Every structure is written in structure tokens, then in C-alpha cells.
Amino acid sequence: MTARRRAEPRSADVATTPLWRAAQALRLVTLLYAVGQQIASVPYYTNQRLSWVLIALMAVWSGVSAIMSAQWHFPDAVRLRRWVVAGDHLVVIGLMAATRLVADYDWYHGHQTLPTTLWATNAVIGAAILRGPIAGVLSGALISSVALTVRDQWGQDVWTDATVPVLVSVGLALGLAANTARRAQDQLERAVRLTAATEERERLSREVHDGVLQVLSFIKRRGSEIGGATAELAHRAGEQEVALRVLISEQADRRDSGGAEVDLRPLLTAQATPKVSVSTPGTPVQVGRWAANEIAAAVATALSNVDLHAGPDANAYVLLEDTGDELVVTVRDDGVGIPPGRLAEAEAEGRMGVSRSIVGRIAALGGSADLLTEIDGGVGFGTEWEIRVSRTSASGQ
């Protein structure tokens, strides 16, 4: 089982596999071009026998590197490709330097180096696919520098020769393509995980709703009707019902934003009831998916507390404001209010609904959730929560 798991390619490897395969096809084409160039140039070499030995070395390395790079399910394919890219650079630089051993100055000063510029591009392509555009550009600059040094052309305008712009441009373009492929693969996997998590959450919600939540709701309703000693049981059942609903809503993957934003308004207006009024701006309020879910869950918890504690005739009001710099959500009710210090007492008793479901959620977003009427009003003046989240935090930047 462990060996099989190790043999499975990582997502980044899967994303760049088509690029590696295309690179191996290009390696074959450039090899054929280099051999043809050798046939055309060998009459002008001073050491023709050595030039054929070097070309044979180039052909052997091309085959070995192609086979090594094609090991897609090797236990450590990334390390293997690192060795291939490093080997490419050593072979390319060695063959370029060997040009001076097979030709005189007049020849190598005005012609391509021995392995040809096109074949040397394989090293740049491998570095770009493996490490991205920066590595590709650096590799292109290195190979270009070696070519200019071997041909003794530093005193000329290097940009008039195609070597530098071609190698650097190839490194940049292939590096950007590799990074784009990796990001696309990552976003695809995030979308798959989000879909799976959503389906599992919905399945769990149905099963829990058909069983536990219905029982808790029945105990809460019947206990409130009977009164007396069962009132506390009804109160506890109501708290657990809220906590369980919140737990189900948290099953989505927080990390799975995928750069997507959602409109916060529908998440809040969906909580409107005959006793809950929701007011939102007339234009969309786009925020990160996770931030939107967390804000909506905090508001849902506040409204649940209104239903449980504010009294049977209490009404609640939710107001969403977008100031440009931050989001402000106000949840107010006209119920019996909360006595000063009651939240601290509840937390000391181990009842963490407010501290975790409201304050903790918003704090995790870098915002604040303040209970204003515990300080300003007091018992009999209702309860007012003010939730503030900066635009930067809400967008997940």
C-alpha cells in the first residue's frame, strides 16, 4: 500500500506531464537537426574525429535523458527530473566548450557552437518546466553566456545574435506555461474537493435532520410547553440543536476558495423570517467564499440566540453595510436583553456558543464582533451585535 501510494504522481507532476512529453519530442527533433548540422559542418573542423565522438555523446545523452524523463510513475520522479535537467546543463556546457577543440577561431567565432543552439534549448526547457519562469530565464542566460564566451562575441552587440533572445524567451514562456498548468490543476482539485465536501455535507444534513435534529426540536418544543423542571431540558436541547446545525454548516473546506468570490447578500436574506428582517445594499457585496460563510454562520448563531433567549415576542433586524474599507453587519433585537457579565459567566460555565460561534468566527477573519447593548443598554433594551470585517480580510487577500 505504501509503495503504491509513493508511486502515484503528485498533482504538480500530473499538470506538467504534457509539457515533459512535448519536451522529449522536441529533444528528438533537435537531435536530428544537430546531426544534420554536424554533417554539413564537419569538413570545416580541424579535428573531425573528435567532433563525431562528441556528437555520439550528445546522441547517447539524448536517449538516456529521454528515458529518464519519461518515468512518470517513478517513486521520486521529481528528483529524477532534477538530475536530468542538471545533466542537460553539464552536457550542453561541455559540448559548447569543446567547440574550440574541434574548430579554429575563424570558424567558431562566426558559427554556432558544436551542439547547435537549438539542441542547447533542451536544457532551458527542462529548467523552465521544472522550476518555473525564473529558473527558465536564468538557465537561458547561463547557456547564452557560455555560447558568447566560447565564440568570443562579448565585444559585439549580443542582441543582434539570436542566441540570447531565443534562449531567454523560451525559458520565460515555458516557465509561465508550467506555472499556469500547475495552478489550473490545483484549482481543478480544489473544485473536486469542494464538490465532494458539499455532497457529503448535504448527505450528513439530511441524515441528521431526519433523526437527531427532529428529536432535539421535539424535546425543545414539548419541554417548553410542559414547563417546570423540563424547561431546563428544553433549553439545553435548543442549544444543542443550534450547535449541531452550526457544526454541519462548517463541513465545507475552508481552504477551498479557489480565488472565487460570492455575494454575501443572499446568505443573509435567506435567514429572513416573519420575525427577522434583513436589509442589504442594492448592489452585490462580493467577498471570499469562506469569509461569506463564516459571517453568515455568525449571524445565524446570533439569530438563534434571539430565538432562544430574547423572548417569544422578540423581533430581530439584520443590517449589512459596505463602507468600501470594511463590512459592517448589525444584528439587533427588541427582546429582554442580556444582563451585564452574563456572557462571561456562560463561558466560565463551559457554554461556548457565543465566544466560539460569533466572536471566534469573526476573529478568525481578522475582524471584531462586539455586543454593544450589554454595555450601553442592559436588560430590557434588547441586544445588538456589531460585526466588522475589513474588505481585505473578507476577500481572502
Side-chain angles (χ1 to χ4, degrees):
M1 181 66 70
T2 302
R4 181 178 300 177
R5 186 181 299 115
R6 289 183 57 193
E8 293 177 354
R10 301 183 308 176
S11 61
D13 301 332
V14 173
T16 57
T17 294
L19 294 177
W20 283 111
R21 288 175 175 166
Q24 301 320 306
L26 178 64
R27 186 183 295 270
L28 175 60
V29 173
T30 58
L31 175 62
L32 296 176
Y33 171 77
V35 172
Q37 186 67 22
Q38 164 70 9
I39 295 173
S41 302
V42 69
Y44 304 98
Y45 290 157
T46 58
N47 193 336
Q48 298 181 6
R49 181 174 299 178
L50 178 60
S51 70
W52 281 113
V53 171
L54 296 176
I55 290 299
L57 176 63
M58 179 184 65
V60 170
W61 172 250
S62 296
V64 171
S65 61
I67 293 173
M68 294 174 66
S69 298
Q71 302 304 309
W72 315 114
H73 298 286
F74 191 77
D76 198 349
V78 175
R79 177 177 296 181
L80 187 63
R81 287 175 186 150
R82 289 197 194 106
W83 284 108
V84 171
V85 172
D88 273 338
H89 283 77
L90 292 176
V91 172
V92 166
I93 293 174
L95 289 175
M96 283 183 169
T99 303
R100 292 196 174 192
L101 300 177
V102 301
D104 56 21
Y105 180 83
D106 291 337
W107 174 262
Y108 65 69
H109 181 67
H111 295 81
Q112 296 185 68
T113 54
L114 184 62
T116 75
T117 302
L118 187 61
W119 191 86
T121 308
N122 290 298
V124 180
I125 292 173
I129 298 176
L130 185 67
R131 290 297 185 184
I134 295 179
V137 170
L138 293 177
S139 175
L142 173 63
I143 302 300
S144 300
S145 300
V146 173
L148 293 173
T149 301
V150 170
R151 297 165 64 188
D152 192 22
Q153 292 186 337
W154 281 108
Q156 304 176 12
D157 185 0
V158 298
W159 294 103
T160 60
D161 185 86
T163 303
V164 177
V166 166
L167 293 180
V168 173
S169 299
V170 166
L172 177 62
L174 266 295
L176 291 174
N179 280 0
T180 300
R182 293 187 184 97
R183 284 195 298 268
Q185 180 69 22
D186 185 56
Q187 290 179 356
L188 175 61
E189 292 184 351
R190 288 183 177 183
V192 171
R193 289 197 301 269
L194 177 60
T195 301
T198 301
E199 292 176 352
E200 177 62 18
R201 185 174 69 255
E202 292 177 350
R203 184 191 65 81
L204 181 61
S205 299
R206 289 192 298 267
E207 293 183 0
V208 172
H209 182 269
D210 292 340
V212 180
L213 288 178
Q214 288 185 352
V215 172
L216 290 175
S217 178
F218 175 75
I219 294 174
K220 172 189 171 184
R221 184 175 65 254
R222 291 293 295 155
S224 299
E225 293 173 355
I226 297 173
T230 60
E232 179 64 19
L233 178 61
H235 176 71
R236 295 292 184 180
E239 287 185 339
Q240 293 305 311
E241 180 186 2
V242 172
L244 189 55
R245 291 184 187 277
V246 170
L247 177 62
I248 294 173
S249 69
E250 289 178 338
Q251 297 304 308
D253 186 356
R254 291 184 175 186
R255 300 167 299 175
D256 208 346
S257 62
E261 293 189 341
V262 298
D263 188 358
L264 178 59
R265 299 178 303 165
L267 299 180
L268 298 183
T269 55
Q271 303 184 42
T273 67
K275 289 190 175 183
V276 177
S277 299
V278 180
S279 299
T280 61
T283 56
V285 181
Q286 299 293 128
V287 298
R289 185 182 303 277
W290 174 51
N293 290 334
E294 292 296 277
I295 294 173
V299 171
T301 302
L303 293 176
S304 297
N305 288 335
V306 172
D307 183 57
L308 291 173
H309 306 297
D313 298 325
N315 296 304
Y317 309 89
V318 179
L319 174 63
L320 170 62
E321 299 175 273
D322 185 359
T323 66
D325 296 328
E326 64 178 357
L327 300 177
V328 182
V329 182
T330 304
V331 182
R332 182 175 59 84
D333 68 77
D334 56 6
V336 298
I338 300 177
R342 179 67 187 108
L343 294 184
E345 293 176 4
E347 185 172 350
E349 294 171 359
R351 298 164 65 182
M352 309 296 289
V354 171
S355 63
R356 289 184 178 175
S357 296
I358 300 180
V359 179
R361 287 179 186 276
I362 304 304
L365 295 175
S368 62
D370 300 314
L371 182 60
L372 303 180
T373 48
E374 184 185 35
I375 300 173
D376 301 332
V379 180
F381 292 90
T383 303
E384 181 175 345
W385 282 97
E386 185 177 80
I387 298 172
R388 292 180 174 270
V389 179
S390 69
R391 258 307 189 172
T392 302
S393 299
S395 299
Q397 300 176 351

